[in-house]
Amino acid sequence: MLLRDPIHGDIELSPLETTLLDLPVMQRLRGIKQLGTAYLVYPGALHTRFDHSIGVCAVAHRIVEGLRRAGQPISAEEEAAIGAAALLHDVTHIPFGHTLEDERRLFPRHDKGSRLSRILAGELGHALAAQGLKETVAGLLDAAPLTSPHWMRDIVSGAIDADLLDYLRRDSFFAGLSHDYDDRIFRAFAVHDDRLVIRLVKHGMDRPDARSEIIRVLRLRYFLTERVYYHHTKVVAGAMISKAVELALDHGLLREEDFLSLNDWTLLERLQTCGLPQAEALAQRVQRRALLKRAYVVSSRSVPATLRTEWVARHHASRSNRAAAEREIAHALGLPFEDVVLYCPALTVMKEAAVPIENSRGLMHLNHPDDEAHGEIQALQDRYAGLWRFFIFVPEAAVAKAGKVCEALFGIQSEHR
């Protein structure tokens, strides 16, 4: 199958990849937006997990091509497994998945737990088994013991991998942001000690151009996180959906297994008609873009590191503690419980900065103190960690009072005025 993609141009899928793409479990991804509620800020950000999955498959093949050019032997069967795993890497994604899984911790991550095992037991598994690739692909997706070389998994889910190199370009393009990396990065991939690495050396000499290109990728990752992924409007809309889902779960109106048959629109419709007024009201407000407002905001600038760790353990990792704080604030303000949303994300770490590199000193991570770009990388990591924000959202009429209530409750003055 030949497809025309706005990011990568023509993408040719193999017969196996075409078969996998046509399965209902993959077609479901057409209804799940890649960036969740970011469309409320960036109206063009309507691209989907389906589009992204095709792009990741294409990028994985480009990495394979680069490795072959560098002298790495790769069989046709290995490339088929890599392509299939790349195409399927998001097959277990649920609507607003990063918000529900990573930000409010309602479910295990889509790439953890038993979801993939259940899907592989059905027609997807049968299609892979018919090609003798089921166990290999399951291993590459971390749903089974790895039976292939580790560098193959790194292409699909490493520090700098096919997933990252697709979504950086795709998200930037559809958000209308003119940022990109150079294709020369595909010439820098190599295999060292069974791991996918970035080769920053040639003829025994370090390659400043290759290092600069990796740093450009990290800067783009930071830029999109700052401008898009952590935009406060995206955050509050996602948090409101998450709280509606949490209420529906607590009342037995939704189950985790339901989400693999839902997309963004059907989930919102289900929430708006679930019979629980609190959940219905939150979902309806998101649909109308009648969002709650920031009443209390603090960041790493005003919350010491030890206290941030404590707050994350209390309010991010524990649903009951988070709900208790929301109820206390709602009671103090005379608001219904659903009108107060606490958002406390996990501490942010730029995992891409730890990509394995091969330089004139040997094998190390890009953020190793001995690498010549350590200072630049460390500064970027620090800025990335500094994007952490703690929010309390309430209706607009309650913002001023809520700010004072939260300052007394949490003991730190709000940075939002």
Side-chain angles (χ1 to χ4, degrees), residues 102-105 230 298-300 303-322 342-349 385 387-391 410:
D102 301 333
E103 297 173 17
R104 205 161 169 97
R105 292 288 291 275
Y230 285 2
V298 289
S299 71
S300 57
V303 184
T306 53
L307 188 56
R308 287 201 301 274
T309 301
E310 180 184 326
W311 282 14
V312 168
R314 184 186 308 158
H315 301 299
H316 174 74
S318 171
R319 283 176 61 181
S320 60
N321 286 342
R322 182 172 61 241
L342 185 156
Y343 178 86
C344 179
L347 299 176
T348 50
V349 177
L387 293 175
W388 183 87
R389 300 285 187 275
F390 178 98
F391 292 97
F410 297 109

Side-chain angles (χ1 to χ4, degrees), residues 240-252:
M240 290 169 68
I241 292 170
S242 292
K243 185 159 185 176
V245 168
E246 188 170 347
L247 289 166
L249 290 169
D250 290 343
H251 286 78

Side-chain angles (χ1 to χ4, degrees), residues 28 92 94 115 118-119 256-262:
R28 180 184 69 93
T92 53
I94 61 175
R115 282 186 220 159
R118 292 202 302 271
I119 288 178
E256 181 181 352
E257 51 266 36
D258 295 335
F259 284 79
L260 285 177
S261 61
L262 294 170

Side-chain angles (χ1 to χ4, degrees), residues 75-349:
S75 69
E77 183 177 356
E78 286 175 329
E79 182 170 8
I82 291 167
L87 188 67
L88 298 171
H89 81 286
D90 270 350
V91 69
T92 53
H93 227 292
I94 61 175
F96 309 103
H98 285 304
T99 300
L100 299 177
E101 297 167 356
D102 301 333
E103 297 173 17
R104 205 161 169 97
R105 292 288 291 275
L106 301 186
F107 306 122
R109 279 184 55 90
H110 68 280
D111 49 4
K112 307 294 181 186
S114 60
R115 282 186 220 159
L116 185 56
S117 297
R118 292 202 302 271
I119 288 178
L120 286 172
E123 58 183 344
L124 173 59
H126 298 323
L128 291 169
Q131 301 296 319
L133 292 175
K134 182 177 178 180
E135 294 306 316
T136 302
V137 171
L140 295 179
L141 294 173
D142 206 17
L146 186 64
T147 59
S148 54
H150 206 294
W151 60 263
M152 292 173 59
R153 179 188 282 176
D154 290 337
I155 292 176
V156 180
S157 58
I160 292 183
D161 54 19
D163 181 29
L164 176 78
L165 294 177
D166 179 75
Y167 78 67
L168 290 182
R169 276 188 168 162
R170 194 170 299 275
D171 294 352
S172 180
F173 178 85
F174 284 102
L177 303 172
S178 55
H179 290 259
D180 200 358
Y181 56 84
D182 195 279
D183 280 359
R184 72 172 55 209
I185 192 172
F186 292 106
R187 303 175 188 173
F189 284 107
V191 173
H192 186 122
D193 292 343
D194 195 32
R195 300 305 299 264
L196 185 70
V197 304
I198 305 295
R199 181 168 286 162
L200 304 183
V201 62
K202 189 172 184 180
H203 303 307
M205 298 179 63
D206 284 333
R207 295 176 54 194
D209 60 329
R211 179 177 277 101
S212 296
E213 199 51 49
I214 296 301
I215 292 172
R216 188 195 297 197
V217 168
L218 299 189
R219 290 189 181 282
L220 179 52
R221 177 71 170 90
Y222 171 85
F223 177 82
L224 286 172
T225 303
E226 177 190 81
R227 298 290 179 90
V228 181
Y229 308 148
Y230 285 2
H231 192 285
H232 69 272
T233 301
K234 176 182 183 297
V235 166
V236 65
M240 290 169 68
I241 292 170
S242 292
K243 185 159 185 176
V245 168
E246 188 170 347
L247 289 166
L249 290 169
D250 290 343
H251 286 78
L253 301 172
L254 278 174
R255 301 167 301 164
E256 181 181 352
E257 51 266 36
D258 295 335
F259 284 79
L260 285 177
S261 61
L262 294 170
N263 61 34
D264 291 358
W265 309 117
T266 55
L267 173 59
L268 284 172
E269 183 180 2
R270 179 92 170 257
L271 290 170
Q272 290 178 81
T273 57
C274 68
L276 184 66
Q278 299 96 321
E280 290 180 352
L282 283 167
Q284 288 164 6
R285 290 189 67 156
V286 172
Q287 284 283 65
R288 302 195 313 270
R289 206 183 186 279
L291 305 178
L292 300 176
K293 303 298 181 182
R294 291 171 288 178
Y296 182 74
V297 185
V298 289
S299 71
S300 57
R301 187 179 69 184
S302 57
V303 184
T306 53
L307 188 56
R308 287 201 301 274
T309 301
E310 180 184 326
W311 282 14
V312 168
R314 184 186 308 158
H315 301 299
H316 174 74
S318 171
R319 283 176 61 181
S320 60
N321 286 342
R322 182 172 61 241
E326 289 173 334
R327 289 188 188 282
E328 183 176 354
I329 296 167
H331 178 74
L333 297 173
L335 293 174
F337 174 59
E338 67 272 17
D339 277 359
V340 176
V341 177
L342 185 156
Y343 178 86
C344 179
L347 299 176
T348 50
V349 177

